[in-house]
Amino acid sequence: MNPVELIRKKRNGGTLSQDELHAFITEYVRGRIPDYQMSAFLMAVYFNGMTMEERATFTDVMLRSGDVVDLSMIPGVKVDKHSTGGVGDKVSLILAPMVAACGVPVPMISGRGLGHTGGTLDKLESIPGFRTNLTIDEYKRVIAETGLVLIGQTDDIAPADKRMYSLRDVTATVESIPLIAGSIMSKKLAEGIDALVLDVKTGNGAFMQKYDDSVALADALVSIGNAMGKETVGFITDMNQPLGFMIGNWLEVVESIECLQGKYVRDLMDVTYVLGGAMLWLGKKAVSIDEGIEQCKSAIASGKAMDKFCELTERQGGDVSYLTNPSRYPSAENGIGVLSEKSGYVAGYSTMEIGLLAIELGAGRLKVDDVIDPKAGIIITKKIGDEVKAGELLATIFTDKSGVVQLASDRLKALIQIADRRVEPPPLVVSYVDAHGVRPWRM
Amino acid sequence: MNPVELIRKKRNGGTLSQDELHAFITEYVRGRIPDYQMSAFLMAVYFNGMTMEERATFTDVMLRSGDVVDLSMIPGVKVDKHSTGGVGDKVSLILAPMVAACGVPVPMISGRGLGHTGGTLDKLESIPGFRTNLTIDEYKRVIAETGLVLIGQTDDIAPADKRMYSLRDVTATVESIPLIAGSIMSKKLAEGIDALVLDVKTGNGAFMQKYDDSVALADALVSIGNAMGKETVGFITDMNQPLGFMIGNWLEVVESIECLQGKYVRDLMDVTYVLGGAMLWLGKKAVSIDEGIEQCKSAIASGKAMDKFCELTERQGGDVSYLTNPSRYPSAENGIGVLSEKSGYVAGYSTMEIGLLAIELGAGRLKVDDVIDPKAGIIITKKIGDEVKAGELLATIFTDKSGVVQLASDRLKALIQIADRRVEPPPLVVSYVDAHGVRPWRM
């Protein structure tokens, strides 16, 4: 295998054979192909893409570069969900216990905040004591005992992806559908799942802001999953405004608890129910997505979903008393309301910028080694289409950083657009994607 | 300056400012931008190209990364020639002394064999004692005293290009017009020249095999030269068969001496005269290229060109007795004739493969540290369009490697195409390129 010839082949629009792609990536992971050849290859992939077969091979090689968890001793169809990330996207915290309460085992390996988005791990870790750094053996034990487990990526999961992702980050080769898809799927397929539901976000708070790009990514993810023998379906859902009302790690746990206890935060729960319904359907506990949705609603109404979340929290070392009594949690030193300057209707959110603002308030990392303030964040009070009166509260900022309060408040105000006439809210669950392609989702 | 942002800008088809491109390359040379970022950038340039302004900046930054020789103390307009390389291309050995004999100073920094092509340095070094590794001070002294100097690239000439060229070689980013043009021109402009004539080869023995690619490269080179204040013109010339009859380092010296002594090897001398005429015209010694050609012919006829070559050889340490009496030179151990199997007309040469075969016979390096055998090579006897009889000598192979003789002889036979009917030879000097664009050249 001559690495230069393989780079040239991809550069010239050719297709690499399974053996070639396998050798190229394996030799890279072994340190026999240097970063400068891999980065040239990645840039060639950025321009010329990968065929479906290349994508599957690429994912498979990265998957097999590390441990692939074997959960075959756990009875049932193990199903996970993956979201491409957004602002206020705390779906996993509600969804995983809800689906597990319905009898579908949910093994979930999650990530940390990335860019303007929050990460499930950071949210869970805001619960005092909650451990996400379980070993693979602990991971297996927890899911066997509770039907549910939520941990972070270990060094042994898809190390090829880990190395390649770091390289992509510094060589402007992140934004490539086959590379993104391979990175996501290699990690997800290493969890030991049998099936997967995808939530691909679209809109001004998503990584893929344009609908067509979201479709392309969803299609790539679904195709790879199915090609690798794991039934995979996906939804394209709206991210043109924060999901729910709360943004920030502990704040999102609070909103999740409220929902698990029966509060109906419309957009948040509608997405959660659709994803949950699909997970129950793939998990063979429901004959249709709709029937799955009904079971999920029952699990919420009966309190079983909340019980499951408490059981998981306890099992992973978290202090459940904070879940049952969130007011025990310390508050941010500053809580500043942002008032509307005029009457009208909320017409839009600059969602990505709101995510970035929350990070600056302390809810995320600006540098890799920053420590997150779990109390920091933003609560909005309105969704797109809601009426607002001059002087009415639009949002509240929570932060321990006293110096940034006034500036952040002014910035946040500018990120919420108010119009004179009512604006129709964007459709929430836009499309459904499976092995047969993309079609509109009716809600 | 954020290197990732600059890579992304180029990847997205944007144009880098002078400051950005300058910073990116300068920081790379200083070791503050790693190879993996440069290779991603180079691949992005491969796909998205560079504007004319970017090309000029790129060349300028590489040029100024090292020494730029100042020859302003040498009277006259200093003119050099650059060829993109081919098989049997020994033009420089005849051209440089011929033009210098006509009074135009020729400072020439040449390269070694690359790929299937020979290099002027390797040819000169086949003359016993000839030193090409002069210091810049010696370089200046030799041109001041003889009006001519022929050396190799020093470490102080365009070190940025040297580093980037090595990286391009192993990342499949060689074949990019702006990168090739910047690499060539940064080295040429460091010589201290005032004007430049380019010989861009086209055909199956050239790096740019397709005419359109050759035009694009010629245009890029001419534009950069003129943008940087050095009058530059170029010719696109044929490389669908070896130039002249002899291939191999000492063999090419022998053919050059014969031509300097007045032998008219048609294609070789026609190209040499056109390039020489243009050099005299740019060097203000002739009012037109045609008048320059006439002066060049006189310099050959009078023996002044040959005298100049001997003077240079002596000045750079070479043993002139080998030039005046080439039969003193040792012969290769094996000299094997290749006979035609049928009667007909020579219809074509697989020129690149012939160049590669010559290298395998010992005329070039297969690995960087291989030692060249100056005696090794090939002499062909026919040009395209020439008649040949069955059993007539087509070519002779010279090599000290006894094991390869039969195989090489069979391979060479297969690389010379014989047709039943006469084939028209390809036009030799195809086009002329200057700041106004490309136009056909009449010969």
Side-chain angles (χ1 to χ4, degrees):
Chain A
M1 194 253 326
N2 179 342
V4 186
E5 285 312 311
L6 297 194
I7 302 169
R8 180 172 288 117
K9 196 171 183 181
K10 178 46 70 186
R11 187 200 74 185
N12 291 345
T15 302
L16 270 59
S17 72
Q18 279 196 19
D19 287 349
E20 287 173 334
L21 203 48
H22 183 273
F24 192 77
I25 293 165
T26 308
E27 293 292 281
Y28 173 67
V29 173
R30 287 182 186 152
R32 293 192 204 139
I33 287 182
D35 282 339
Y36 56 77
Q37 288 186 322
M38 180 54 83
S39 67
F41 176 77
L42 293 170
M43 188 60 87
V45 170
Y46 175 87
F47 281 98
N48 284 338
M50 282 185 173
T51 65
M52 188 53 233
E53 200 194 333
E54 284 179 312
R55 291 174 189 199
T57 305
F58 178 64
T59 306
D60 191 57
V61 177
M62 294 210 295
L63 168 64
R64 288 174 204 286
S65 71
D67 292 345
V68 180
V69 182
D70 178 9
L71 295 184
S72 57
M73 72 296 179
I74 312 277
V77 182
K78 278 74 69 183
V79 187
D80 189 15
K81 183 243 11 173
H82 177 79
S83 163
T84 59
V87 177
D89 181 3
K90 71 272 301 170
V91 165
S92 291
L93 275 60
I94 311 165
L95 177 70
M98 180 181 80
V99 169
C102 295
V104 171
V106 181
M108 192 179 271
I109 300 186
S110 299
R112 302 205 173 269
L114 186 68
H116 63 286
T117 69
T120 298
L121 283 194
D122 297 326
K123 292 167 196 174
L124 289 171
E125 287 177 358
S126 73
I127 301 169
F130 201 108
R131 280 181 56 218
T132 59
N133 59 341
L134 305 190
T135 65
I136 293 299
D137 281 343
E138 291 176 305
Y139 170 84
K140 288 181 178 182
R141 263 203 308 279
V142 174
I143 186 159
E145 291 166 19
T146 69
L148 172 65
V149 64
L150 285 161
I151 69 163
Q153 195 185 348
T154 73
D155 287 341
D156 303 322
I157 298 281
D161 171 67
K162 197 168 264 187
R163 244 193 98 185
M164 232 174 304
Y165 194 88
S166 310
L167 186 62
R168 285 167 57 205
D169 198 33
V170 294
T171 55
T173 49
V174 169
E175 302 91 340
S176 157
I177 297 273
L179 299 180
I180 294 171
S183 174
I184 290 173
M185 294 304 286
S186 63
K187 282 176 287 196
K188 281 287 145 183
L189 297 175
E191 293 172 341
I193 53 170
D194 303 306
L196 180 64
V197 174
L198 295 159
D199 181 9
V200 177
K201 300 294 189 191
T202 194
N204 69 13
F207 281 107
M208 296 286 166
Q209 305 209 347
K210 291 183 204 148
Y211 177 71
D212 287 348
D213 291 340
S214 306
V215 168
L217 177 57
D219 197 50
L221 294 166
V222 166
S223 303
I224 292 172
N226 289 311
M228 298 184 71
K230 310 293 177 185
E231 199 170 355
T232 306
V233 302
F235 296 89
I236 297 175
T237 71
D238 182 64
M239 189 35 73
N240 281 299
Q241 56 183 329
L243 197 59
F245 294 99
M246 304 196 188
I247 304 152
N249 296 289
W250 173 250
L251 291 173
E252 295 192 38
V253 172
V254 170
E255 189 170 32
S256 300
I257 297 167
E258 290 175 0
C259 288
L260 282 164
Q261 290 173 330
K263 183 171 176 182
Y264 179 54
V265 176
R266 180 190 288 272
D267 59 345
L268 174 57
M269 287 314 293
D270 282 353
V271 169
T272 303
Y273 283 136
V274 166
L275 296 169
M279 289 173 78
L280 292 197
W281 173 58
L282 291 184
K284 313 290 185 209
K285 291 288 177 184
V287 297
S288 67
I289 295 177
D290 283 336
E291 197 198 293
I293 291 174
E294 292 313 311
Q295 288 184 37
C296 288
K297 286 182 176 170
S298 300
I300 295 285
S302 66
K304 283 185 185 163
M306 179 64 189
D307 290 347
K308 187 55 81 179
F309 189 50
C310 291
E311 183 189 349
L312 173 82
T313 300
E314 195 155 18
R315 189 66 187 73
Q316 292 194 211
D319 186 341
V320 177
S321 70
Y322 288 95
L323 305 186
T324 48
N325 186 10
S327 61
R328 284 193 61 206
Y329 209 79
S331 299
E333 287 176 23
N334 305 287
I336 305 93
V338 174
L339 307 183
S340 182
E341 286 177 354
K342 61 174 184 175
S343 295
Y345 297 85
V346 174
Y349 282 92
S350 300
T351 316
M352 179 180 283
E353 287 74 14
I354 290 176
L356 293 171
L357 181 60
I359 288 168
E360 285 180 54
L361 296 172
R365 298 171 193 82
L366 293 169
K367 299 191 303 292
V368 177
D369 52 355
D370 280 352
V371 175
I372 286 182
D373 174 8
K375 312 180 302 301
I378 297 166
I379 299 181
I380 59 170
T381 62
K382 305 281 179 185
K383 305 300 293 191
I384 294 175
D386 286 352
E387 194 175 0
V388 61
K389 301 245 177 289
E392 195 182 345
L393 186 71
L394 275 180
T396 310
I397 284 172
F398 297 92
T399 183
D400 283 356
K401 301 182 182 175
S402 54
V404 304
V405 167
Q406 188 55 49
L407 196 64
S409 163
D410 292 345
R411 272 177 59 194
L412 182 55
K413 198 176 292 181
L415 299 175
I416 306 173
Q417 290 89 49
I418 311 289
D420 293 334
R421 296 195 180 177
R422 185 168 185 278
V423 171
E424 202 58 39
L428 183 65
V429 179
V430 186
S431 311
Y432 171 74
V433 187
D434 65 12
H436 304 294
V438 185
R439 58 175 185 271
W441 181 255
R442 45 83 199 124
M443 276 198 76
Chain B
M1 196 257 320
N2 178 342
V4 186
E5 285 313 310
L6 298 195
I7 301 169
R8 180 172 288 117
K9 196 171 183 179
K10 178 46 70 187
R11 187 200 75 184
N12 290 346
T15 302
L16 270 60
S17 72
Q18 279 196 19
D19 286 350
E20 288 172 334
L21 202 48
H22 184 274
F24 193 78
I25 294 164
T26 309
E27 293 291 281
Y28 173 68
V29 173
R30 286 181 188 154
R32 293 190 203 141
I33 286 181
D35 283 339
Y36 57 76
Q37 288 186 322
M38 181 53 85
S39 67
F41 176 78
L42 293 169
M43 188 60 87
V45 170
Y46 174 88
F47 281 97
N48 284 337
M50 282 184 172
T51 64
M52 190 51 233
E53 200 193 332
E54 284 179 312
R55 293 175 187 197
T57 305
F58 179 63
T59 306
D60 190 57
V61 176
M62 293 211 294
L63 167 64
R64 286 175 206 286
S65 71
D67 291 347
V68 180
V69 182
D70 178 9
L71 294 182
S72 57
M73 71 296 178
I74 312 277
V77 181
K78 277 75 67 183
V79 187
D80 189 15
K81 183 249 356 177
H82 177 77
S83 163
T84 59
V87 177
D89 181 3
K90 71 274 298 169
V91 166
S92 291
L93 275 59
I94 311 166
L95 178 70
M98 180 182 80
V99 169
C102 295
V104 171
V106 181
M108 192 180 272
I109 300 185
S110 298
R112 302 206 173 267
L114 186 68
H116 63 286
T117 69
T120 299
L121 282 195
D122 297 325
K123 293 167 195 173
L124 289 171
E125 288 178 356
S126 74
I127 302 169
F130 200 109
R131 280 181 58 217
T132 59
N133 60 341
L134 306 189
T135 64
I136 293 300
D137 280 345
E138 290 175 305
Y139 170 85
K140 289 181 178 181
R141 262 205 307 279
V142 174
I143 188 162
E145 291 168 18
T146 69
L148 172 65
V149 65
L150 284 161
I151 69 163
Q153 196 186 347
T154 73
D155 287 341
D156 304 322
I157 298 281
D161 171 66
K162 197 167 266 188
R163 245 193 97 185
M164 232 173 304
Y165 194 88
S166 311
L167 185 63
R168 285 167 58 205
D169 199 33
V170 293
T171 56
T173 49
V174 169
E175 302 89 340
S176 157
I177 298 275
L179 299 180
I180 295 171
S183 174
I184 291 173
M185 294 304 286
S186 63
K187 283 176 287 198
K188 281 287 146 184
L189 297 175
E191 294 172 341
I193 53 170
D194 302 307
L196 181 64
V197 175
L198 295 159
D199 182 9
V200 177
K201 300 294 187 190
T202 195
N204 68 13
F207 282 106
M208 296 286 165
Q209 303 208 349
K210 291 184 203 147
Y211 176 71
D212 287 349
D213 291 341
S214 306
V215 168
L217 177 57
D219 197 50
L221 294 166
V222 166
S223 301
I224 292 172
N226 288 312
M228 298 184 72
K230 311 293 177 185
E231 198 169 357
T232 306
V233 301
F235 296 89
I236 297 175
T237 72
D238 183 64
M239 188 34 73
N240 282 299
Q241 57 184 328
L243 197 59
F245 294 99
M246 304 196 188
I247 305 153
N249 295 289
W250 172 250
L251 291 172
E252 295 192 38
V253 172
V254 170
E255 189 170 31
S256 299
I257 297 166
E258 291 176 0
C259 288
L260 282 163
Q261 289 172 332
K263 182 172 177 182
Y264 179 53
V265 176
R266 181 191 286 270
D267 60 344
L268 175 58
M269 287 313 292
D270 282 355
V271 169
T272 303
Y273 283 136
V274 166
L275 296 170
M279 289 174 77
L280 292 196
W281 173 58
L282 291 184
K284 313 289 185 208
K285 291 288 177 185
V287 297
S288 67
I289 294 177
D290 283 336
E291 197 198 294
I293 290 172
E294 292 312 313
Q295 288 183 38
C296 287
K297 287 181 175 172
S298 301
I300 295 286
S302 66
K304 283 185 185 166
M306 179 65 189
D307 290 348
K308 186 56 79 178
F309 189 51
C310 292
E311 183 189 351
L312 172 82
T313 299
E314 192 154 20
R315 189 64 188 74
Q316 292 196 210
D319 185 340
V320 177
S321 71
Y322 287 96
L323 305 186
T324 49
N325 186 9
S327 60
R328 284 195 59 205
Y329 209 78
S331 299
E333 286 176 25
N334 305 287
I336 304 94
V338 174
L339 306 183
S340 183
E341 288 178 354
K342 61 176 187 176
S343 295
Y345 297 87
V346 174
Y349 283 91
S350 300
T351 317
M352 179 180 284
E353 288 73 14
I354 290 176
L356 292 170
L357 182 61
I359 288 169
E360 285 180 52
L361 295 172
R365 298 171 193 83
L366 293 169
K367 299 191 303 292
V368 176
D369 51 355
D370 280 351
V371 176
I372 285 182
D373 173 8
K375 311 179 302 301
I378 297 166
I379 300 181
I380 60 171
T381 61
K382 305 281 179 184
K383 305 300 292 190
I384 294 177
D386 285 354
E387 194 175 1
V388 62
K389 300 247 179 285
E392 195 182 348
L393 187 72
L394 276 180
T396 310
I397 284 172
F398 298 92
T399 185
D400 283 357
K401 301 181 183 176
S402 53
V404 305
V405 166
Q406 188 55 50
L407 196 65
S409 163
D410 291 345
R411 272 177 59 195
L412 183 54
K413 200 177 290 180
L415 299 175
I416 307 173
Q417 290 88 48
I418 311 288
D420 293 336
R421 295 195 181 178
R422 184 169 186 278
V423 171
E424 202 58 39
L428 185 65
V429 179
V430 187
S431 310
Y432 171 75
V433 186
D434 66 12
H436 305 294
V438 185
R439 59 176 184 271
W441 180 254
R442 46 83 198 124
M443 273 199 76

